[in-house]
Amino acid sequence: MIGSTISHYRILERLGVGGMGVVYKAEDLKLNRRLVALKFLAEDLTSDHLALERFQRESRAASLLSHPNICIIYETGEHEGQPFIAMELLKGQMLKEYIRAGRVSSVGITPASGTLAAGFQQAAAPFANDTLLELGIQIADALDAAHAQAIIHRDIKPANIFITDRGQAKILDFGLAKLSPGPRPARRVSSSKIGDTSHLYSAETGSLAEEHLTSPGVAMGTIAYMSPEQARGEELDGRSDLFSFGAVLYEMATGREAFSGSTSAVIFDAILNRVPAAPLRLNPALPAELGRIISKALEKDREVRYQTASDLRADLKRLKRDTESGRTFSPGPGSDRVRRRARGAPEVMRVAVLPFSNAGGNPEAEYLSDGITESLIDSLSQLPNLRVVSRTSVFRYKGREVDAVEVGRELSVGTVVAGRVVQRGGDLSIRAELIDARDNSHLWGEHYHRKFSDLLAVQEQIADTITERLRVKLTGKDRKQPAKRRTRSTEAYQMYLRGRYHWNKRTEEGMKRGLDYFNQAIEEDSGYAQAYAGLADCHAMLGWNTMMAPKDSFPKAKAAALKALELDPDLAEAHTSLAIAKLLFDWDWAGAASGFERAIEVNPSYAIAHQWHGFELMALGRHEEAIREADRALLLDPLSLSINTTTGFSYYLARRYDEAVEACRKTIEMDENFPPAHFALGSAYEQKGMYEEAVAQLKKGFNTSRAIFGVLWAALGHVYAVSGNLTEARKLLEESKQIAREGYFPASSIAIIHAGMGEIEQALDWLERAYEERSTWLIFLQVYPVWDALRAQPRFQKVARQMGLQP
């Protein structure tokens, strides 16, 4: 079949053969040559009723689901009597193969090493704890999504879980899926092309009819991973999948199957009557809490097992958070972290670098203490197995006398770096210290007296010493990373620090002054990649905050980011700024996603990359993924006002308004003068019909700064309009048009006010102008509730298609 065309797919190569048939790599000729996997039912099985039913069932069940950790089914079809399924083409390996090989190096993670407890035979090396938790959370999330649609997989095992090259888990093969008892989701899928399948759907619910999916009293699945109730042929619900998932976790944690034997009868007996060896006996490096989670998942009585996948996921997420912050210990005199270190497994630490104080008291030197802090954060963030809290969270402590234990508790870190800087003329004095955040004990401290011209060298020395004291295990290559010097010019570095100092004010004036200083840094050193990244950041944020026309800001942001990447391909800030420009100006969804993912790959601690990846996912309507990405950003930067607001806004766009209100209120409690939080809260209030509260919040946003001025203006005008206050709405509308005549004001904001007033044609006119000017907030066209009044209009749909937001 190689080279032949099936439907609109050209067969490129054979990927593999299994019991049900053969899988090919193919090219989709309709959709920009997208590569897919085509799975054909074996020719000798096409007349086998049960095999055909299972093949059809796989496509129908998976089609009900849309989740990043479930393999996507694009369509089904038939070629010369052979049914096929077109599905997502994945790069990586089955979890089964990773377990057998005893390594997971191709996704950048290594399993725990060392000799297992005496008396046990090692089948394969167990996974590293952080890897196991990350993959376990993803699989649990996918099961939660399936169970929410009342679909039970019934064959969860390592051979049905794929791990991509990027470390993402994907559940495959829903060929044994069935509907669980209870309410069915009211969701219909498009009918299959494999024969007439209309009789397999419930007319009432639009779901697969249960009697066509399974037979009572028949045990279906893979024996070693069956639940006790599955082995007995009893009625199943989602808890059966959780038992099977527990068996998978057990195998990942220990390298051994939970239930094994020489015959099926022996395995059935083990599942029904025997408790597997405690995971901690097989792998002493395992956190005690993880052993408890696995044991609870493997409870034979389903009434005391985990009741939902979401509960299991929550426990895994909690353990992951506590492990990363250094708060998790195993029983006995030694901590789990010490045990893992002794066994050679990588340790993930969380560190906060507090703002160095400007002890000299000279306000002109404030940029220097801030800059040294930020540079240390940047240097340490390059290290593997080290998670550094970002600048925005730690700078909440600037100018405050704080206790390291308090900081550790608030930021979930185990270690704190603190210091002070004094500059007197050409002399520089820096004091740095390392503090254990659990008990406030002093781990290390040193005083450095240098000439100002030695600023770069002393920062590198501090970073190297901290790295050594934290005992982060690095490869030879990684040991060079903290000392990677971005420039050798002290003058250029000084200008760069001044630029970042003003950029971090996030005001229009601050960003424009930042541009001046970054340009001066480039004049001193034309090969200074970070300075170009600073230029890109300033231009991108001026455009995003509606302070500058998109066509005046984003081309400059792209050019600066590309230059930075030409000089340093591993600069996470530049990857992020380029991706922001692709998202907001080019509407290049795939390019933006790739850029954010690359930034995160280069620097997993860069919270802003996670935050903007979340925006991209929101724009595409992938709300659950967006919320998870916002949560990841929040874990890295828990005190960031911007990221906290992003979390609230992600709930708002997902139309989960109560959760949006709660998140935004928490942000405003942190700082009541942050405009985006008032915008998101006011917008959520509007959708709840709380118009007075919405107006009050949006007005508060105006009283602070010009950030997102045009967006706030539009939101307030829209609330006035939908609440019946057309006089105030009309007033804002006319004022906005006057501003647009005199300078820049986003056309999308004017369109939104017209839409709220029910002036559909005028709204569409301004929407088309917004498309021409490439208004930044148009990325949310498909999900922003204020556009609901226009969605059915052909002109609206045309704009969405032109932006690539609709087929």
Side-chain angles (χ1 to χ4, degrees):
M1 296 182 67
I2 307 301
S4 61
T5 299
I6 309 300
S7 181
H8 53 93
Y9 301 103
R10 180 183 294 123
I11 306 294
L12 301 177
E13 63 180 279
R14 192 170 75 170
L15 297 176
V17 179
M20 291 289 290
V22 60
V23 180
Y24 291 91
K25 178 180 179 181
E27 185 180 44
D28 188 336
L29 301 178
K30 276 188 179 179
L31 296 177
N32 300 320
R33 301 186 179 275
R34 176 181 63 186
L35 296 178
V36 302
L38 285 189
K39 181 177 180 179
F40 282 85
L41 183 64
E43 188 174 358
D44 59 341
L45 293 178
T46 55
S47 59
D48 184 327
H49 174 72
L50 292 178
L52 182 59
E53 180 181 320
R54 175 175 174 177
F55 196 80
Q56 293 172 329
R57 185 186 304 143
E58 176 181 0
S59 65
R60 291 193 299 268
S63 296
L64 285 166
L65 303 170
S66 176
H67 191 276
N69 299 116
I70 295 175
C71 184
I72 300 170
I73 299 292
Y74 297 127
E75 69 167 317
T76 59
E78 185 174 289
H79 175 70
E80 297 180 357
Q82 281 187 278
F84 70 82
I85 301 173
M87 62 181 67
E88 182 180 10
L89 179 66
L90 302 174
K91 295 181 179 180
Q93 276 187 299
M94 291 294 186
L95 177 59
K96 176 182 178 180
E97 301 305 320
Y98 282 127
I99 293 174
R100 281 181 175 177
R103 58 182 177 81
V104 284
S105 58
S106 67
V107 290
I109 37 187
T110 306
S113 58
T115 304
L116 297 181
F120 295 95
Q121 182 179 4
Q122 181 179 8
F127 279 43
N129 295 333
D130 55 342
T131 301
L132 191 157
L133 290 171
E134 178 61 32
L135 295 176
I137 290 167
Q138 294 179 29
I139 297 166
D141 203 48
L143 288 175
D144 186 42
H147 295 168
Q149 294 291 328
I151 294 174
I152 312 169
H153 189 282
R154 293 200 304 175
D155 201 15
I156 294 296
K157 58 183 178 181
N160 279 338
I161 297 171
F162 195 95
I163 309 299
T164 71
D165 288 343
R166 292 182 177 272
Q168 186 179 27
K170 294 270 190 177
I171 295 181
L172 314 174
D173 197 349
F174 281 74
L176 292 182
K178 73 179 288 289
L179 288 181
S180 62
R184 305 288 190 264
R187 179 180 177 184
R188 180 175 296 277
V189 298
S190 58
S191 53
S192 168
K193 296 180 182 178
I194 308 176
D196 180 12
T197 59
S198 59
H199 63 289
L200 297 178
Y201 291 83
S202 163
E204 180 180 351
T205 66
S207 301
L208 295 170
E210 182 176 337
E211 63 270 22
H212 293 283
L213 288 173
T214 187
S215 300
V218 176
M220 302 185 73
T222 302
I223 294 175
Y225 302 94
M226 282 186 178
S227 66
E229 59 268 29
Q230 196 172 7
R232 290 190 292 262
E234 297 174 351
E235 181 66 45
L236 303 182
D237 57 29
R239 292 173 292 182
S240 179
D241 282 347
L242 301 186
F243 184 97
S244 302
F245 179 38
V248 172
L249 288 175
Y250 184 100
E251 196 166 342
M252 294 171 69
T254 67
R256 289 169 50 94
E257 291 181 352
F259 309 102
S260 60
S262 56
T263 67
S264 298
V266 173
I267 299 174
F268 272 124
D269 179 65
I271 291 172
L272 294 171
N273 304 309
R274 303 187 189 281
V275 177
L280 267 71
R281 292 181 62 196
L282 299 175
N283 181 4
L286 209 64
E289 174 63 7
L290 184 52
R292 184 199 69 80
I293 291 171
I294 294 172
S295 296
K296 184 174 180 180
L298 288 175
E299 283 283 355
K300 298 186 187 302
D301 182 355
R302 57 181 165 184
E303 294 301 324
V304 295
R305 194 183 303 156
Y306 279 102
Q307 298 299 291
T308 65
S310 61
D311 288 342
L312 199 164
R313 178 188 60 204
D315 280 359
L316 290 172
K317 290 181 74 171
R318 188 177 299 110
L319 175 57
K320 184 174 186 289
R321 179 199 64 193
D322 293 346
T323 301
E324 289 177 345
S325 67
R327 295 202 300 247
T328 300
F329 299 89
S330 60
S335 76
D336 174 62
R337 292 187 296 155
V338 174
R339 289 173 184 258
R340 278 185 287 159
R341 202 157 50 233
R343 292 168 57 83
E347 177 183 355
V348 177
M349 298 182 182
R350 283 180 57 83
V351 178
V353 182
L354 293 181
F356 277 42
S357 64
N358 176 20
N362 178 7
E364 292 298 316
E366 196 73 21
Y367 79 93
L368 185 60
S369 56
D370 286 4
I372 289 174
T373 307
E374 191 166 353
S375 293
L376 282 175
I377 291 172
D378 179 59
S379 293
L380 295 174
S381 294
Q382 309 303 314
L383 303 177
N385 311 317
L386 189 65
R387 295 294 177 263
V388 185
V389 176
S390 72
R391 181 193 189 281
T392 47
S393 278
V394 295
F395 268 74
R396 300 275 292 168
Y397 299 99
K398 182 177 171 64
R400 291 169 48 190
E401 291 290 335
V402 292
D403 179 76
V405 174
E406 176 189 352
V407 173
R409 183 175 61 251
E410 291 181 354
L411 299 182
S412 298
V413 298
T415 312
V416 170
V417 180
R420 62 189 183 90
V421 182
V422 178
Q423 181 191 5
R424 291 190 175 93
D427 295 325
L428 190 65
S429 175
I430 301 178
R431 168 72 181 175
E433 59 181 330
L434 200 61
I435 306 167
D436 192 318
R438 291 171 296 182
D439 56 12
N440 222 6
S441 60
H442 188 266
L443 300 176
W444 162 82
E446 195 161 336
H447 212 142
Y448 301 84
H449 297 282
R450 299 286 193 278
K451 292 296 183 182
F452 187 83
S453 57
D454 293 332
L455 173 60
L456 289 165
V458 72
Q459 284 187 182
E460 292 166 2
Q461 186 178 354
I462 294 171
D464 284 343
T465 304
I466 291 173
T467 298
E468 181 181 349
R469 294 287 174 172
L470 291 174
R471 303 181 188 277
V472 178
K473 294 185 177 294
L474 306 174
T475 65
K477 177 182 177 182
D478 292 323
R479 288 186 183 276
K480 298 175 185 176
Q481 286 183 328
K484 183 175 182 180
R485 185 172 290 186
R486 307 291 191 181
T487 181
R488 294 190 175 276
S489 168
T490 302
E491 291 76 13
Y493 183 58
Q494 184 181 7
M495 291 300 104
Y496 172 77
L497 293 184
R498 289 183 182 274
R500 280 296 176 196
Y501 175 76
H502 288 287
W503 139 260
N504 279 309
K505 293 181 179 181
R506 295 299 198 273
T507 63
E508 183 174 6
E509 180 187 2
M511 282 185 274
K512 289 181 177 178
R513 291 193 66 182
L515 288 173
D516 290 338
Y517 282 118
F518 290 135
N519 279 316
Q520 290 180 52
I522 291 168
E523 289 176 9
E524 294 288 342
D525 181 356
S526 60
Y528 196 179
Q530 283 184 303
Y532 283 105
L535 286 179
D537 287 344
C538 288
H539 286 302
M541 289 302 99
L542 284 168
W544 168 244
N545 285 321
T546 69
M547 298 170 181
M548 185 179 290
K551 292 182 179 179
D552 293 332
S553 55
F554 288 107
K556 295 176 183 176
K558 287 177 63 178
L562 287 168
K563 180 63 177 179
L565 291 174
E566 176 188 325
L567 295 167
D568 186 351
D570 293 331
L571 198 55
E573 297 95 323
H575 281 292
T576 302
S577 289
L578 180 59
I580 289 172
K582 288 182 176 181
L583 173 68
L584 299 179
F585 188 72
D586 295 340
W587 301 324
D588 177 3
W589 311 105
S594 178
F596 294 132
E597 289 167 3
R598 176 60 180 153
I600 292 167
E601 179 184 351
V602 170
N603 184 359
S605 295
Y606 192 40
I608 294 175
H610 289 282
Q611 178 188 17
W612 277 94
H613 190 18
F615 277 127
E616 171 244 326
L617 292 167
M618 291 178 216
L620 297 176
R622 294 160 61 179
H623 298 299
E624 292 303 318
E625 296 171 76
I627 290 168
R628 283 197 298 274
E629 203 62 33
D631 286 342
R632 292 187 182 105
L634 199 57
L635 181 65
L636 292 165
D637 201 350
L639 298 184
S640 165
L641 297 172
S642 175
I643 292 174
N644 274 274
T645 302
T646 299
T647 302
F649 191 61
S650 66
Y651 283 126
Y652 164 72
L653 291 183
R655 306 191 182 225
R656 293 161 60 174
Y657 301 123
D658 290 336
E659 292 163 281
V661 167
E662 181 182 1
C664 293
R665 281 176 174 171
K666 289 179 180 178
T667 307
I668 292 170
E669 287 174 7
M670 295 165 65
D671 187 344
E672 62 180 12
N673 294 318
F674 190 62
H678 291 292
F679 158 71
L681 180 55
S683 298
Y685 277 147
E686 177 192 350
Q687 296 304 315
K688 287 170 63 68
M690 300 169 62
Y691 299 125
E692 290 185 8
E693 293 85 348
V695 168
Q697 289 299 324
L698 294 169
K699 282 185 173 180
K700 286 180 182 179
F702 279 111
N703 295 332
T704 51
S705 75
R706 197 168 178 265
I708 65 167
F709 174 77
V711 181
L712 275 164
W713 192 289
L716 183 58
H718 193 272
V719 173
Y720 278 140
V722 298
S723 64
N725 191 343
L726 297 181
T727 300
E728 289 297 324
R730 181 70 63 188
K731 180 180 177 182
L732 283 179
L733 182 63
E734 296 308 318
E735 289 180 7
S736 64
K737 291 180 179 179
Q738 181 61 35
I739 296 172
R741 285 190 288 269
E742 297 173 355
Y744 175 68
F745 190 88
S748 57
S749 294
I750 298 175
I752 286 170
I753 300 176
H754 274 300
M757 298 176 70
E759 297 172 350
I760 303 302
E761 291 304 314
Q762 295 95 317
L764 291 169
D765 290 341
W766 282 95
L767 175 61
E768 289 168 348
R769 291 195 199 184
Y771 171 80
E772 293 299 326
E773 74 175 30
R774 306 189 86 81
S775 294
T776 54
W777 282 68
L778 275 191
I779 63 166
F780 301 121
L781 189 69
Q782 286 292 81
V783 293
Y784 202 0
V786 295
W787 295 116
D788 286 354
L790 305 182
R791 295 198 189 283
Q793 299 295 322
R795 291 168 66 188
F796 179 92
Q797 294 168 8
K798 179 181 177 182
V799 171
R801 286 194 301 273
Q802 290 172 323
M803 292 180 64
L805 290 171
Q806 284 188 3

